Amino acid sequence: LAKTTQPISMDSYEGQEVNITCSHNNIATNDYITWYQQFPSQGPRFIIQGYKTKVTNEVASLFIPADRKSSTLSLPRVSLSDTAVYYCLVGHMEYGNKLVFGAGTILRVKS
Amino acid sequence: SAVISQKPSRDICQRGTSLTIQCQVDSQVTMMFWYRQQPGQSLTLIATANQGSEATYESGFVIDKFPISRPNLTFSTLTVSNMSPEDSSIYLCSVGGPGGASPHTDTQYFGPGTRLTVL
């Protein structure tokens, strides 16, 4: 499993766009990039997953450059309820594969 | 998606005792996972609970300390044995399921966790 590096923490204000970048220099050809969100006192929740270019869903966008050595999770117009820890994971993501969580990024959204 | 429940949601235990945590899923799944999250830390995988066979433990975790049962495809238990204050953590179970970027990838769905405090 590829090692990932994320900022330890980020601060933002309500209504702003937040971009969290994850470095994964040793990503393998068949690895996917997946982001999870964890609120206090809850288990992690899947946000988005991608392989290359750009993926968008109702929650976030994921930007992956051509070399795939990094990725950026973009949260549009954050609110106070987006305050959470965000984890970037890189791996095969096939059914049954275990997940290895890094330290994650603590996002604090202020009013 | 899968809906996962855990019991108990929290407990306070005395050192030297054992606690069994239950994980129930609303659908049949082949593999279930148990994680530990120590205060202020990230998640660490304890073991994979396989139905019909022994659990597969990660480095640093042993069956005598964390025995796991998997009697059927919707249920698993994790026991924390002979507890010490260092076992104070949140214990989470998870299962794999669809929702990934392709038909060949999956996501994992997590339970709400069991917050354990050992005195």
Side-chain angles (χ1 to χ4, degrees), chain A residues 16-106:
Chain A
Q16 288 186 331
E17 178 185 75
V18 171
N19 296 310
I20 306 174
T21 297
C22 178
S23 298
H24 29 78
N25 292 321
N26 296 324
I27 189 169
T29 302
N30 56 351
D31 281 347
Y32 280 74
I33 300 155
T34 309
W35 286 80
Y36 283 79
Q37 174 191 56
Q38 185 178 26
F39 296 116
S41 302
Q42 294 186 27
R45 180 178 77 116
F46 171 87
I47 302 177
I48 196 165
Q49 185 181 87
Y51 183 79
K52 62 180 179 181
T53 63
K54 177 184 175 182
V55 180
T56 297
N57 61 23
E58 64 278 3
V59 177
S61 294
L62 179 59
F63 298 92
I64 306 169
D67 66 5
R68 302 198 331 121
K69 293 184 182 299
S70 67
S71 59
T72 299
L73 174 72
S74 181
L75 304 172
R77 297 179 299 281
V78 294
S79 64
L80 295 175
S81 62
D82 292 314
T83 294
V85 180
Y86 293 82
Y87 297 98
C88 166
L89 289 82
V90 173
H92 294 182
M93 304 302 171
E94 294 169 346
Y95 180 74
N97 273 13
K98 59 188 180 185
L99 299 182
V100 177
F101 285 80
T105 298
I106 301 172

Side-chain angles (χ1 to χ4, degrees), chain B residues 24-116:
Chain B
Q24 179 76 51
V25 189
D26 68 342
S27 58
Q28 294 185 339
V29 293
T30 305
M31 298 170 100
M32 297 175 74
F33 304 90
W34 286 98
Y35 292 82
R36 180 175 74 181
Q37 187 170 29
Q38 295 178 303
Q41 303 296 314
S42 182
L43 287 80
T44 301
L45 181 64
I46 297 172
T48 303
N50 309 304
Q51 198 275 331
S53 63
E54 278 196 5
T56 304
Y57 290 83
E58 297 299 305
S59 175
F61 297 96
V62 295
I63 188 171
D64 289 346
K65 176 67 175 177
F66 298 100
I68 289 172
S69 77
R70 185 78 199 277
N72 57 52
L73 292 175
T74 64
F75 186 79
S76 178
T77 67
L78 169 76
T79 298
V80 186
S81 303
N82 189 25
M83 289 184 286
S84 67
E86 292 70 35
D87 294 319
S88 297
S89 291
I90 298 173
Y91 293 85
L92 301 107
C93 67
S94 73
V95 302
S102 86
H104 306 291
T105 62
D106 77 339
T107 66
Q108 282 197 13
Y109 299 90
F110 286 81
T114 295
R115 183 180 295 271
L116 170 62

